[in-house]
C-alpha cells in the first residue's frame, strides 16, 4: 500500500510539473505573441506613415489640388519671368564670337559670355522658387541653394578640367566672401534704407555659423601645417645649418594632397549629416515637415508655399532647369577659355581675377535686381506707393550658399581632382585664408542678434570693397602656385618660375639701359 501511495504521489507530482511547464510555455507564447503583435503594429504604423508621406510628396509634386497650368501658359510665364531675359540674346553672340564666326577678339568673347550668364543665373533663381511650391520648404530650400551655386560650381569644374588650379582656389574664396558680404550686405542696404531694422529669416543660426566655420577652418589646417613647416625650415637655414631645404617639393605636396582628401571626405560627411538633421530632426514623424516647436515664421512660410499658386507646371519647370544647365556649361567654358588672353591684355592680377571678377558673375543677376529695385523703391516712395522687397533679396540664403560651397562643392572638387589626377588640395594662399576668417567674424557679429539694418549692410559692402581694393595689388603667393602645378612636377614648376623671373629681370635691365641711352 505504501508503495502504491508513493507511486500515486509521484504521478501527481509529474502531472503538476507538466501542467506548470505547459502554463509557462503558454505564458511565454502569449508574451511573444503580444511583442510580435506590437512590433508588427509599429512596423505597419511606420510603413503607413512612410507610404502616406511618399503619396503626399508625389501629389504635391504633380500639383494635385492646384490650378492646372498648360504648357503654353508656362512658356509665356517663363518668357516674361524677368526683364533680364532680354540678355539671353547674348548667348548666340557669345558662341559666335568664341567660334570666330566674327572677329571680335577674346575680350569681347569674355564680355559677351559674362552678360549671357546673367539671365541664366536669374532663371535658376526663378525656377527654384517655382519648384519650391511643388517640393515644400525643406527640399525647396535645398534646391534653391543648389541652383544658386550652379554657376560657380560649373565654373569651378571647368577651371579644374583646364588645370587652372590657382584661379580655382581664388574663385572658391571669392565665392564664399561674396556670399557672406556683398550679397547679404546689398540686401540689407537696399531693403532697409527706409526701415529701422530688419528681422533675419529664421534659420538654425547657431548651426549655420558652426558649419560655416568648420568649412573655413578646413582650409586653415593644411595652410597652417605648411606655414609652420616653412617657418621652421627658414629658421634653420637662417641659423647657418646646411640641412635646411625648401619645402616646395613633390613630397610635401603629396602630404598636402593626402590630408586634403581625408579632410574632404570628412567635410562631405558633415554636410550630409547636417542635411539629415535639418530635414529629419529628432522625434517621431518629423521628416520633411516643419516641427511643431519651430518659429511661427517657418509655419507661415510653409503655409504660404501651400497656398500660393505657381505660374508654371512642374514638368515645364524641370525641363527649363535642364535646358538652362545645358546652356550654362558651354557658355561658362567659353568664358574660362578666354580668361588667359584677357589677363594678358588687361594686366589684371590672377588673385583679383579669381576672387573678385569671376564670382561677380554669380552676383550679376541679384545685383541687377537690387539696382532696379533701388530705383523703383525711390520712385514708389516719391509717389506714395507701397514698397515691396523682391523675394530673392528678402529671403537672404547667403550663409546657406557659403555653407554648401565650403562643405560640399569644395571637397567635391578635391575628390574630383584626385579622380582626374589633378593636384587640387586645401592649402590656400595665406592672404586668402585671412580674408575668409575676417569675413566670417564680421558676418557672425552682424547676424548674432538676428536683426540688421542698412548701416550694417553698408559695413559689409564697404568691407567687400576694401578686399577688392587690396586684392587688386596682391600678386599672389608663389609657393602656393608651384604646389598647384598639374602638368609638371613641383621642381619643374619652381625652375620654370625662376627662369621666368630671370628673363623678366633681364628685360627690365635692358629697358633701363635703353631708356638711359635714349
Amino acid at each position: 500500500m505504501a508503495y502504491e501511495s508513493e507511486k500515486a504521489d509521484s504521478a501527481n507530482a509529474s502531472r503538476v510539473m507538466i501542467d506548470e511547464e505547459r502554463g509557462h510555455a503558454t505564458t511565454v507564447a502569449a508574451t511573444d505573441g503580444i511583442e510580435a503583435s506590437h512590433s508588427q503594429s509599429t512596423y505597419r504604423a511606420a510603413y503607413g506613415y512612410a507610404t502616406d508621406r511618399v503619396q503626399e510628396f508625389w501629389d504635391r509634386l504633380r500639383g494635385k489640388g492646384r490650378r492646372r497650368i498648360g504648357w503654353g501658359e508656362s512658356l509665356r510665364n517663363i518668357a516674361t519671368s524677368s526683364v533680364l531675359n532680354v540678355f539671353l540674346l547674348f548667348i548666340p553672340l557669345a558662341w559666335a564670337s568664341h567660334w570666330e564666326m566674327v572677329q571680335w577678339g577674346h575680350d569681347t568673347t569674355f564680355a559677351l559670355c559674362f552678360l549671357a550668364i546673367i539671365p541664366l543665373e536669374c532663371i535658376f533663381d526663378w525656377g527654384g522658387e517655382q519648384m519650391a511650391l511643388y517640393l515644400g520648404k525643406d527640399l525647396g530650400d535645398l534646391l534653391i541653394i543648389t541652383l544658386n551655386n550652379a554657376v560657380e560650381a560649373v565654373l569651378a569644374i571647368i577651371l579644374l578640367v583646364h588645370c587652372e588650379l590657382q584661379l580655382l582656389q581664388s574663385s572658391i574664396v571669392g565665392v564664399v566672401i561674396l556670399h557672406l558680404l556683398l550679397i547679404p550686405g546689398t540686401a540689407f542696404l537696399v531693403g532697409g534704407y527706409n526701415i529701422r531694422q530688419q528681422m533675419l529669416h529664421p534659420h538654425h543660426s547657431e548651426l549655420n555659423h558652426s558649419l560655416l566655420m568648420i568649412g573655413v577652418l578646413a582650409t586653415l589646417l593644411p595652410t597652417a601645417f605648411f606655414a609652420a613647416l616653412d617657418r621652421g625650415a627658414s629658421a634653420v637655414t637662417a641659423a647657418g645649418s646646411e640641412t635646411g631645404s625648401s619645402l616646395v617639393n613633390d613630397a610635401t605636396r603629396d602630404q598636402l594632397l593626402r590630408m586634403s582628401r581625408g579632410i574632404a571626405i570628412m567635410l562631405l560627411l558633415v554636410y550630409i549629416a547636417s542635411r539629415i538633421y535639418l530635414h529629419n530632426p529628432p522625434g517621431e514623424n518629423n521628416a520633411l515637415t516643419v516641427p511643431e516647436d519651430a518659429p511661427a515664421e517657418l509655419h507661415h512660410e510653409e503655409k504660404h508655399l501651400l497656398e500660393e499658386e505657381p505660374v508654371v507646371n512642374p514638368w515645364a519647370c524641370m525641363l527649363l532647369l535642364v535646358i538652362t544647365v545645358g546652356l550654362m556649361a558651354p557658355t561658362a567654358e567659353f568664358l574660362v577659355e578666354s580668361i588667359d588672353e584677357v589677363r594678358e591684355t588687361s594686366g589684371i592680377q590672377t588673385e583679383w581675377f579669381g576672387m573678385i571678377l569671376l564670382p561677380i558673375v554669380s552676383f550679376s543677376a541679384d545685383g541687377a535686381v537690387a539696382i532696379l529695385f533701388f530705383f523703383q523703391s525711390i520712385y514708389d516712395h516719391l509717389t506714395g506707393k507701397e514698397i515691396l522687397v523682391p523675394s530673392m533679396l528678402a529671403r537672404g540664403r547667403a550663409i546657406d550658399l557659403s555653407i554648401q560651397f565650403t562643405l560640399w562643392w569644395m571637397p567635391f572638387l578635391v575628390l574630383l581632382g584626385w579622380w582626374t589626377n589633378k593636384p587640387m588640395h586645401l592649402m590656400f594662399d595665406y592672404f586668402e585664408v585671412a580674408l575668409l576668417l575676417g569675413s566670417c567674424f564680421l558676418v557672425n557679429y552682424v547676424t548674432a542678434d538676428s536683426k540688421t539694418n542698412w548701416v550694417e549692410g553698408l559695413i559689409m559692402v564697404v568691407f567687400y570693397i576694401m578686399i577688392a581694393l587690396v586684392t587688386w595689388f596682391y600678386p599672389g603667393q608663389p609657393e602656393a602656385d608651384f604646389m598647384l602645378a598639374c602638368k609638371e612636377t613641383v621642381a619643374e614648376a619652381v625652375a620654370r618660375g625662376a627662369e621666368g623671373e630671370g628673363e623678366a629681370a633681364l628685360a627690365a635691365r635692358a629697358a633701363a639701359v635703353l631708356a638711359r641711352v635714349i
Side-chain angles (χ1 to χ4, degrees):
M1 293 293 294
Y3 173 76
E4 293 178 357
S5 177
E6 290 177 359
K7 186 176 180 181
D9 292 340
S10 176
N12 291 333
S14 299
R15 284 194 296 269
V16 170
M17 185 178 297
I18 292 172
D19 292 340
E20 289 179 353
E21 290 178 353
R22 288 176 178 175
H24 177 70
T26 303
T27 304
V28 171
T31 303
D32 292 343
I34 293 173
E35 292 179 353
S37 176
H38 177 71
S39 177
Q40 290 177 1
S41 62
T42 303
Y43 172 77
R44 290 194 192 98
Y47 178 78
Y49 171 76
T51 304
D52 292 341
R53 292 295 299 162
V54 170
Q55 186 63 42
E56 181 181 346
F57 170 79
W58 178 244
D59 290 341
R60 183 167 185 173
L61 180 62
R62 291 184 302 163
K64 185 177 180 180
R66 298 181 184 269
R67 182 179 66 87
R68 185 179 180 278
I69 304 173
W71 283 86
E73 182 181 357
S74 298
L75 294 177
R76 287 194 301 271
N77 291 331
I78 290 172
T80 59
S81 60
S82 173
V83 295
L84 297 180
N85 289 345
V86 177
F87 284 67
L88 291 171
L89 297 174
F90 288 106
I91 294 178
L93 296 177
W95 292 16
S97 178
H98 171 76
W99 289 325
E100 297 182 354
M101 296 179 182
V102 288
Q103 300 298 326
W104 287 340
H106 294 286
D107 294 345
T108 304
T109 301
F110 180 86
L112 291 174
C113 291
F114 188 96
L115 294 174
I117 288 176
I118 292 177
L120 299 178
E121 173 71 15
C122 190
I123 289 174
F124 279 137
D125 190 85
W126 182 83
E129 295 286 349
Q130 289 295 308
M131 285 303 302
L133 301 176
Y134 295 104
L135 295 174
K137 182 185 181 307
D138 284 334
L139 293 180
D141 281 349
L142 180 60
L143 179 64
I144 292 171
I145 293 168
T146 305
L147 291 175
N148 283 339
N149 275 329
V151 176
E152 297 96 332
V154 171
L155 283 172
I157 293 173
I158 293 174
L159 287 172
L160 178 67
V161 172
H162 284 262
C163 249
E164 296 280 357
L165 300 186
Q166 184 186 11
L167 195 60
L168 171 58
Q169 285 193 343
S170 299
S171 65
I172 290 174
V173 175
V175 166
V176 176
I177 292 176
L178 179 131
H179 285 157
L180 289 179
L181 297 176
L182 186 59
I183 292 179
T186 303
F188 300 158
L189 177 61
V190 174
Y193 81 97
N194 62 342
I195 302 175
R196 182 174 178 83
Q197 65 181 13
Q198 301 174 91
M199 298 297 296
L200 296 181
H201 193 271
H203 283 291
H204 301 274
S205 56
E206 295 83 1
L207 177 62
N208 280 358
H209 290 159
S210 301
L211 293 173
L212 178 63
M213 283 305 300
I214 191 175
V216 173
L217 292 176
T219 65
L220 176 65
L221 292 176
T223 307
F225 170 83
F226 180 80
L229 293 180
D230 187 40
R231 181 177 177 82
S234 300
V236 172
T237 305
S241 174
E242 296 181 356
T243 59
S245 61
S246 173
L247 292 170
V248 184
N249 52 51
D250 290 285
T252 305
R253 183 170 72 174
D254 184 63
Q255 293 177 343
L256 291 171
L257 288 172
R258 290 183 180 184
M259 67 178 68
S260 297
R261 290 160 184 169
I263 291 173
I265 294 173
M266 288 182 275
L267 288 179
L268 290 175
L269 292 176
V270 169
Y271 184 73
I272 293 172
S274 68
R275 301 316 304 185
I276 294 175
Y277 174 79
L278 292 176
H279 297 313
N280 187 17
E284 292 289 336
N285 303 332
N286 285 333
L288 300 180
T289 60
V290 179
E292 294 294 334
D293 58 347
E297 291 86 350
L298 295 181
H299 290 280
H300 176 74
E301 182 178 353
E302 177 65 17
K303 182 180 178 182
H304 171 73
L305 292 176
L306 286 171
E307 295 177 351
E308 182 178 354
E309 288 293 337
V311 296
V312 60
N313 71 64
W315 317 119
C317 193
M318 293 178 193
L319 181 61
L320 170 69
L321 295 176
V322 171
I323 293 175
T324 305
V325 172
L327 294 174
M328 172 67 67
T331 306
E333 184 169 4
F334 299 158
L335 183 142
V336 170
E337 290 179 357
S338 62
I339 284 177
D340 289 335
E341 288 76 8
V342 173
R343 280 189 300 176
E344 291 177 1
T345 57
S346 63
I348 298 176
Q349 300 281 5
T350 302
E351 292 291 325
W352 196 89
F353 206 98
M355 288 182 59
I356 305 301
L357 187 57
L358 284 184
I360 286 293
V361 173
S362 65
F363 178 67
S364 53
D366 287 345
V369 171
I371 294 172
L372 293 175
F373 168 73
F374 182 74
F375 288 107
Q376 181 182 355
S377 61
I378 293 177
Y379 174 78
D380 292 341
H381 179 72
L382 295 176
T383 57
K385 295 182 179 179
E386 182 181 3
I387 299 175
L388 300 175
V389 181
S391 60
M392 64 178 64
L393 297 179
R395 297 183 186 276
R397 298 183 177 92
I399 294 181
D400 294 325
L401 295 172
S402 299
I403 289 171
Q404 188 187 74
F405 211 84
T406 54
L407 295 185
W408 178 263
W409 290 113
M410 184 176 71
F412 171 79
L413 292 169
V414 172
L415 298 180
L416 182 61
W418 186 12
W419 183 45
T420 57
N421 200 27
K422 303 288 193 306
M424 174 61 185
H425 52 70
L426 295 179
M427 191 203 83
F428 281 66
D429 189 293
Y430 300 165
F431 178 70
E432 296 172 351
V433 174
L435 294 182
L436 280 176
L437 290 174
S439 301
C440 287
F441 288 144
L442 179 59
V443 170
N444 285 343
Y445 278 123
V446 170
T447 60
D449 58 352
S450 297
K451 300 177 183 177
T452 186
N453 52 63
W454 69 268
V455 178
E456 290 178 330
L458 178 63
I459 291 172
M460 298 169 72
V461 173
V462 167
F463 185 56
Y464 184 84
I465 296 174
M466 291 179 183
I467 292 175
L469 176 63
V470 175
T471 307
W472 178 265
F473 300 98
Y474 182 62
Q477 184 182 355
E479 295 87 351
D481 189 16
F482 296 147
M483 299 292 273
L484 292 170
C486 60
K487 295 182 180 179
E488 55 191 351
T489 64
V490 176
E492 293 172 347
V494 172
R496 176 176 51 80
E499 181 181 354
E501 290 179 359
E503 293 177 355
L506 181 62
R509 287 197 297 271
V513 172
L514 181 61
R516 286 197 298 270
V517 171
I518 295 176

